Amino acid sequence: MVKREVVGAHYGLRDWLAQRITAVVMVVYTAVILSVVAGLPRMDYWQWKVLWQTPVVRYATVLVILCLLFHTWIGVRNIFMDYIKDPALRLALYVLTIGALVWYGVWSFRILWSA
Amino acid sequence: MRFSIYRYNPEADDKPRMQAYDVALEPTDRMLLDALVRIKAHDDTLSFRRSCREGVCGSDAMNINGKNGLACITRIADLREPVQIRPLPGLPVVRDLIVDMSQFFKQYDSVKPYLVNNDPPPEKERLQSPQDREELDGLYECILCACCSTSCPSFWWNPDKFVGPAGLLQAYRFIADTRDQATNERLDNLEDPYRLFRCHSIMNCVDVCPKGLNPTRAIGKIKDLLVKRTV
Amino acid sequence: MGLPVRLFDAVIVGGGGSGMRAALELARADLKVAVLSKVFPTRSHTVAAQGGVAASLGNIDEDNWHWHMYDTVKGSDYLGDQDAIEFMCRKANEVVYELEHLGMPFDRLAGGKIYQRPFGGHMRDYGVSPVPRACAAADRTGHALLHTLYQANLKARTQFFVEWMALDLIRAQDGSVLGVTALEMETGEVMILQAKATVFATGGAGRIFAASTNAFINTGDGLGMAARAGIPLQDLEFWQFHPTGVAGAGVLITEGVRGEGGYLLNKNGERFMERYAPNAKDLASRDVVARAMATEIKEGRGAGKDGDCILLKLDHLGEETISKRLPGIREIAKKFANVDPVKDPIPVVPTCHYQMGGIPTNYHGQVVVPKNGNPESVVPGFYAAGECSCVSVHGANRLGCNSLLDLLVFGKSAGEKVIQDLKQDGKSHRALPNDAGELTLSRLARLDGQKSGERVAEVSADMRRTMQQHCGVFRFPDLLTEGVRKIKDVAERVSRTGISDKSRTFNTARVEALELDNLVETAVASLVSAEARKESRGSHDRADFHQRDDANWMKHTLWFKQGSRLEYKPVHTQPLSVETFEPKARVY
């Protein structure tokens, strides 16, 4: 086979930007949640449960979990792109990573809705 | 003064080794290059590149006590003994301190480092305001010594695909030039997860640049332009 | 004949400013061209030029090429050829604008035009007062220029042979040049590069002196090759000592510092140039300033611990101007002189800087030698440009900024001439002589076979010391005579040097030995020519003949390697279109 460098995928910006935007979302969410928790008069299991049953918090958390998963995906894929040279192995690792992330996502939503 | 220098001659050595040198320096030997020249006067088999001996030609880049730099502007007095000298990391060694730089130059070439302006040239100079010209400061001064690119892990892992800090600095030098008309093509050329986005802004390049340039900032400006173009 | 041969239309030896300017011309002409360079092209010594390139653009004050021409003729101490000087000064604006169009990052004036600064010897109105004529990119003009030319050549797809060293010139029976032998440094392979046109752009040999602003690679390779092939070397007694090399280190501090308003002080804090050049002061031409400094030091008014240097003051320019216009100088002063010029003056001494002489050429870049009574018969197929050539536009002393101009103008015209000549009769390659490459092979075989021998480093150190002691700013008859004897002795020793490294891969010991062969030819030529010239002119200042002697010595020296013989040829006093500038006393 011809050994040729193929470059110019014309993506990368979207991912780079997404990684930054998701990071901002996560930082804002973390700050808000922490301040809400700190502002509570007392902290017990019922309070905690009520907090996560509040629709705003619940949907914000869904958003943040999606952000986290996407952020992780970009970051982990970056590491694979840096170090894993074999395309087949890299593709396999991608699939494994996506599988794991989807699993984490489903798991997180189940926890959230069981609250 | 004691030195420990990387030696490898493909004709004689199976693998590289570090060779110790004990040299009596003269008071006129102020820079590391002076010391290397003195060592070479005794052992002419030691090979390294050098030319201007004042830090403008970029020949004598090497890894000095673990950090990339130019031997000719590295003061001997500032070095810890024994001074460990190795070739630039991440490039194939031809012999001793001489590395094969073709991959580095290939990446430089790949950004089309020349002015593109398809208007017929005026009779005199193209005008450019001093403010516009100032945009090129910190960019055009690059001496292509490769200290930056060979200190960048992303370039070590993907020298064939990642342009590297030196090439990206020059890419931005032409993007920033008001006389250049190929900004879009240049951005197209870089919009790639490898070519540009292997830079994770760890700033090793800024740390080692012997001319005090800041490739990370230039790379950031390229990314800004890409965002501006998309958003 | 044992060497492999590769065929080209043209071979350019040297990848500095003139070589790449010539290459650019040839690349546009659809010719098969090889550019050989000992170093990656942007590492060539043009990169170290600082102050600017001279052109009478008149962007700040009124200026024209007539004044520039007058200054250059006067600066040359009337040894420059006036046809060539007119040619260069008239072409100046064109080549500078071309460079700008290629992308050169010149500094700019408020209106957007190219920034210009005053420089030594460049005056308005035929020598009345300094005029800003040096087109500058901060104090990195050479760097900006060389990179721009390299980039333009990348665009034009020029074929570079990087880290190839040309070793010897190949000439046919009738004297025409057929190419060179060359060594690929990485593999140690030697080849014949045969060409219909061979252009030398190999730079100077400033490394023959102990104190030099020149790079290690400036070993006069073109001069050595030419001399060995029977081509004479012209005017090599004229070496420019730059007034401001960092004391002890030799690193150049641009004249642009004085162009921006800096000046020289002796140990008493006196601005002594007012005494030597009341009008131009610190911006007199370089030979005048260098001599004044040497005189101050000699007469006990030198500064520094040992009273052996002069101080270059520029702190009064202010940090802003220094950082904007002279950033590289500040860097160099801090690194090599341990002073920050924003606060303290830089200790400087006159330091060997530029070779006015070289391979004799006309202003088309063609190499010319005496033949059958014609002092300037063209050597077919052989061209030279830049510092290795002697056109002669610099005569006995070069003006600052005229070297970058020289390499642009004559690099271009050599390229144009090659194209023209190849169009006329460049159909096929001529047969190589049977002994082509033999000289090279014997030189290499000697180095390989030499079991013992003096170290290259020792012999070359002796050569540099000899030149420094016997052929410096001031020249004395007894020292010159002794110098000639000594340097011939050194040349003898050069033929017996030995290297312990016999390997093929990137053998820099071998390269240095081969370079010394070239250096020593230049050194011998310089001392022999200097000893013979019984007058003082430009940079050549003799204690026993203190005056310029136009009646007997307004002529070019030609040194031939064979028998170390000298000949002379007349100066071209007739310009192309204007009237001759008659020699007169040179005051600044």
Side-chain angles (χ1 to χ4, degrees):
Chain A
M1 201 183 115
V2 191
K3 202 168 177 296
R4 210 185 283 276
E5 246 359 282
V6 278
V7 296
H10 290 287
Y11 80 96
L13 174 68
R14 198 195 54 210
D15 290 353
W16 178 81
L17 201 55
Q19 203 173 26
R20 268 129 198 95
I21 293 168
T22 50
V24 170
V25 171
M26 289 187 288
V27 166
V28 170
Y29 172 87
T30 311
V32 170
I33 289 293
L34 282 178
S35 59
V36 167
V37 170
L40 289 175
R42 61 196 163 80
M43 185 68 183
D44 55 22
Y45 178 70
W46 296 107
Q47 279 287 345
W48 182 251
K49 212 168 154 72
V50 166
L51 179 64
W52 298 103
Q53 278 169 346
T54 318
V56 179
V57 175
R58 188 174 270 174
Y59 288 107
T61 309
V62 168
L63 178 70
V64 165
I65 289 169
L66 290 176
C67 282
L68 177 66
L69 294 176
F70 197 48
H71 191 91
T72 313
W73 161 238
I74 296 168
V76 173
R77 192 186 54 179
N78 261 336
I79 298 171
F80 291 154
M81 285 172 98
D82 276 343
Y83 299 102
I84 310 294
K85 299 284 170 186
D86 179 47
L89 177 60
R90 192 155 57 189
L91 194 62
L93 285 168
Y94 284 179
V95 171
L96 273 177
T97 309
I98 291 172
L101 290 176
V102 168
W103 165 246
Y104 285 133
V106 171
W107 190 20
S108 311
F109 295 147
R110 282 183 56 189
I111 293 170
L112 204 53
W113 260 267
S114 69
Chain B
M1 181 141 190
R2 288 190 308 139
F3 295 85
S4 172
I5 304 180
Y6 180 102
R7 300 299 310 270
Y8 175 65
N9 177 357
E11 291 167 50
D13 305 324
D14 291 335
K15 55 178 194 209
R17 63 201 152 85
M18 296 301 286
Q19 184 171 345
Y21 287 97
D22 237 317
V23 216
L25 296 178
E26 300 285 321
T28 48
D29 297 334
R30 302 183 54 225
M31 301 294 176
L32 176 59
L33 181 62
D34 301 328
L36 288 175
V37 168
R38 196 161 293 283
I39 292 172
K40 190 171 173 61
H42 295 290
D43 175 5
D44 66 13
T45 65
L46 176 66
S47 302
F48 53 90
R49 293 188 176 104
R50 84 283 180 272
S51 180
C52 76
R53 61 87 176 83
E54 57 188 54
V56 296
C57 81
S59 298
D60 61 351
M62 51 189 72
N63 188 272
I64 305 154
N65 277 346
K67 190 174 171 185
N68 291 351
L70 299 178
C72 59
I73 51 173
T74 300
R75 277 207 199 100
I76 296 173
D78 299 342
L79 294 172
R80 203 182 53 241
E81 283 185 74
V83 184
Q84 301 264 349
I85 304 174
R86 296 168 190 273
L88 288 176
L91 293 176
V93 174
V94 175
R95 176 179 175 170
D96 297 343
L97 301 175
I98 297 174
V99 291
D100 177 357
M101 298 185 67
S102 26
Q103 194 68 64
F104 172 80
F105 289 125
K106 214 164 150 185
Q107 291 297 0
Y108 171 71
D109 294 356
S110 81
V111 303
K112 302 199 167 59
Y114 40 78
L115 193 81
V116 176
N117 185 320
N118 296 319
D119 294 342
E123 217 167 281
K124 294 188 170 180
E125 66 266 62
R126 292 196 172 98
L127 299 180
Q128 184 176 48
S129 73
Q131 294 75 27
D132 287 342
R133 166 59 184 77
E134 233 165 69
E135 292 292 319
L136 307 183
D137 286 342
L139 304 171
Y140 82 95
E141 301 94 322
C142 172
I143 57 173
L144 300 177
C145 66
C147 280
C148 60
S149 291
T150 60
S151 69
C152 173
S154 287
F155 190 77
W156 295 341
W157 313 142
N158 289 292
D160 49 343
K161 294 176 178 167
F162 175 46
V163 173
L168 290 169
L169 186 82
Q170 287 314 299
Y172 186 64
R173 177 250 175 274
F174 288 98
I175 291 171
D177 196 322
T178 48
R179 299 169 294 175
D180 189 87
Q181 298 174 328
T183 301
N184 268 315
E185 290 84 338
R186 295 184 190 282
L187 292 179
D188 283 345
N189 176 290
L190 295 174
E191 194 180 358
D192 181 281
Y194 281 100
R195 284 179 65 70
L196 174 68
F197 289 99
R198 280 308 88 196
C199 170
H200 305 312
S201 312
I202 63 165
M203 298 177 79
N204 273 14
C205 52
V206 184
D207 186 39
V208 297
C209 178
K211 306 307 283 180
L213 310 179
N214 189 332
T216 308
R217 184 164 55 210
I219 294 168
K221 286 185 173 171
I222 297 175
K223 288 174 178 168
D224 286 351
L225 279 174
L226 282 169
V227 172
K228 209 181 272 173
R229 186 167 82 153
T230 309
V231 178
Chain C
M1 185 170 66
L3 291 174
V5 181
R6 289 180 73 167
L7 297 175
F8 297 91
D9 290 317
V11 165
I12 298 175
V13 184
S18 56
M20 288 210 284
R21 187 62 191 83
L24 195 57
E25 219 52 42
L26 295 179
R28 293 167 176 165
D30 203 23
L31 294 170
K32 193 178 174 198
V33 183
V35 181
L36 269 63
S37 182
K38 284 201 290 189
V39 292
F40 184 76
T42 64
R43 320 226 188 278
S44 308
H45 194 53
T46 306
V47 81
Q50 297 174 349
V53 44
S56 54
L57 307 183
N59 282 355
I60 295 178
D61 290 331
E62 190 196 341
D63 198 4
N64 64 60
W65 66 261
H66 296 269
W67 298 348
H68 186 186
M69 180 184 170
Y70 171 78
D71 293 339
T72 307
V73 173
K74 179 181 171 190
S76 81
D77 218 347
Y78 300 92
L79 191 72
D81 287 336
Q82 298 198 12
D83 52 349
I85 294 176
E86 178 182 338
F87 182 83
M88 178 177 81
C89 295
R90 284 175 72 169
K91 282 259 182 192
N93 294 15
E94 172 191 323
V95 293
V96 168
Y97 288 141
E98 274 171 2
L99 204 58
E100 195 282 329
H101 297 155
L102 291 174
M104 169 102 170
F106 280 114
D107 284 1
R108 299 291 172 153
L109 295 161
K113 289 183 176 178
I114 294 171
Y115 170 77
Q116 296 187 284
R117 62 162 63 108
F119 235 72
H122 290 284
M123 318 281 272
R124 85 177 72 247
D125 242 342
Y126 305 103
V128 172
S129 59
V131 66
R133 192 179 284 150
C135 311
D139 55 1
R140 305 189 180 97
T141 314
H143 171 281
L145 179 146
L146 192 66
H147 280 252
T148 303
L149 284 178
Y150 178 68
Q151 291 159 351
N153 272 289
L154 268 185
K155 192 177 180 185
R157 305 190 179 284
T158 298
Q159 192 182 4
F160 286 101
F161 286 63
V162 176
E163 290 174 338
W164 280 62
M165 180 183 179
L167 299 180
D168 281 294
L169 199 60
I170 299 172
R171 295 184 80 182
Q173 277 295 317
D174 66 356
S176 50
V177 167
L178 304 178
V180 290
T181 54
L183 166 78
E184 183 181 21
M185 285 151 73
E186 186 174 332
T187 60
E189 239 176 287
V190 181
M191 239 176 243
I192 289 177
L193 303 183
Q194 192 183 346
K196 298 166 193 165
T198 304
V199 184
F200 271 13
T202 54
R207 278 274 148 185
I208 60 171
F209 286 89
S212 170
T213 66
N214 280 206
F216 281 104
I217 56 168
N218 288 21
T219 54
D221 297 338
L223 281 74
M225 286 187 273
R228 280 193 296 277
I231 308 269
L233 302 179
Q234 184 176 325
D235 291 345
L236 274 177
E237 61 270 46
F238 299 105
W239 282 91
Q240 178 161 80
F241 293 85
H242 195 290
T244 54
V246 172
V251 177
L252 175 69
I253 298 287
T254 175
E255 195 167 289
V257 169
R258 282 170 284 139
E260 295 288 345
Y263 49 81
L264 297 163
L265 298 175
N266 62 19
K267 77 167 180 191
N268 306 325
E270 182 203 2
R271 193 175 172 184
F272 59 88
M273 277 314 296
E274 288 173 341
R275 273 189 279 124
Y276 295 86
N279 187 22
K281 299 188 182 81
D282 297 84
L283 286 177
S285 78
R286 288 179 180 170
D287 56 335
V288 174
V289 180
R291 254 192 308 276
M293 291 168 69
T295 306
E296 289 297 300
I297 293 171
K298 205 172 62 175
E299 293 176 358
R301 291 187 294 279
K305 185 161 53 68
D306 302 317
D308 57 357
C309 65
I310 293 292
L311 298 174
L312 176 60
K313 177 180 153 67
L314 65 156
D315 56 291
H316 57 282
L317 302 180
E319 182 160 3
E320 203 191 320
T321 304
I322 292 174
S323 298
K324 191 169 165 60
R325 301 292 183 205
L326 305 164
I329 289 311
R330 193 175 178 192
E331 223 178 290
I332 287 173
K334 281 181 176 172
K335 288 235 157 72
F336 288 92
N338 275 328
V339 298
D340 184 350
V342 167
K343 297 190 206 98
D344 299 302
I346 310 171
V348 291
V349 284
T351 307
C352 173
H353 180 59
Y354 189 85
Q355 161 195 303
M356 264 78 71
I359 302 167
T361 68
N362 59 25
Y363 63 84
H364 301 297
Q366 296 169 294
V367 175
V368 289
V369 296
K371 192 176 176 184
N372 305 332
N374 173 7
E376 291 172 353
S377 152
V378 169
V379 180
F382 194 24
Y383 309 79
E387 190 172 346
C388 77
S389 70
C390 183
V391 186
S392 144
V393 281
H394 308 307
N397 169 66
R398 173 174 72 80
L399 294 189
C401 294
N402 267 355
S403 58
L404 291 185
L405 178 61
D406 166 355
L407 60 84
L408 288 173
V409 169
F410 296 107
K412 182 179 179 180
S413 68
E416 287 171 342
K417 191 67 189 162
V418 168
I419 295 169
Q420 196 189 339
D421 288 352
L422 290 187
K423 263 190 196 141
Q424 268 168 20
D425 54 359
K427 299 288 177 288
S428 59
H429 288 274
R430 297 178 46 182
L432 290 173
N434 290 327
D435 62 351
E438 248 166 50
L439 174 60
T440 298
L441 288 173
S442 70
R443 288 171 66 208
L444 292 171
R446 183 191 75 75
L447 282 173
D448 279 341
Q450 194 98 14
K451 292 276 181 287
S452 62
E454 251 188 298
R455 287 180 177 279
V456 171
E458 271 166 34
V459 182
S460 59
D462 275 352
M463 172 195 67
R464 291 193 297 269
R465 258 195 300 274
T466 306
M467 290 306 294
Q468 196 74 29
Q469 284 166 5
H470 296 267
C471 209
V473 176
F474 292 117
R475 295 169 177 179
F476 303 90
D478 43 339
L479 280 179
L480 284 169
T481 320
E482 199 195 336
V484 168
R485 190 183 53 71
K486 271 189 176 172
I487 202 73
K488 286 185 173 168
D489 189 48
V490 169
E492 227 1 79
R493 286 161 60 198
V494 167
S495 62
R496 295 192 306 269
T497 51
I499 52 174
S500 56
D501 189 349
K502 310 284 187 195
S503 57
R504 293 170 64 81
T505 313
F506 229 114
N507 186 335
T508 47
R510 177 183 293 146
V511 168
E512 285 179 17
L514 293 166
E515 285 174 338
L516 183 57
D517 287 348
N518 297 325
L519 280 165
V520 82
E521 301 295 354
T522 318
V524 172
S526 302
L527 255 168
V528 170
S529 307
E531 195 275 334
R533 184 173 281 273
K534 307 281 193 295
E535 66 158 349
S536 290
R537 183 186 295 270
S539 65
H540 177 66
D541 188 279
R542 278 183 75 120
D544 50 344
F545 296 93
H546 208 66
Q547 297 299 317
R548 191 175 76 201
D549 178 359
D550 290 327
N552 296 306
W553 286 100
M554 205 167 105
K555 56 188 181 186
H556 295 296
T557 309
L558 292 174
W559 174 85
F560 294 79
K561 175 177 162 61
Q562 212 179 20
S564 199
R565 176 170 62 86
L566 293 175
E567 273 184 31
Y568 293 90
K569 67 174 185 181
V571 172
H572 297 194
T573 50
Q574 184 61 51
L576 299 171
S577 71
V578 292
E579 277 184 29
T580 302
F581 290 111
E582 296 294 345
K584 55 183 183 185
R586 198 159 148 259
V587 281
Y588 281 99

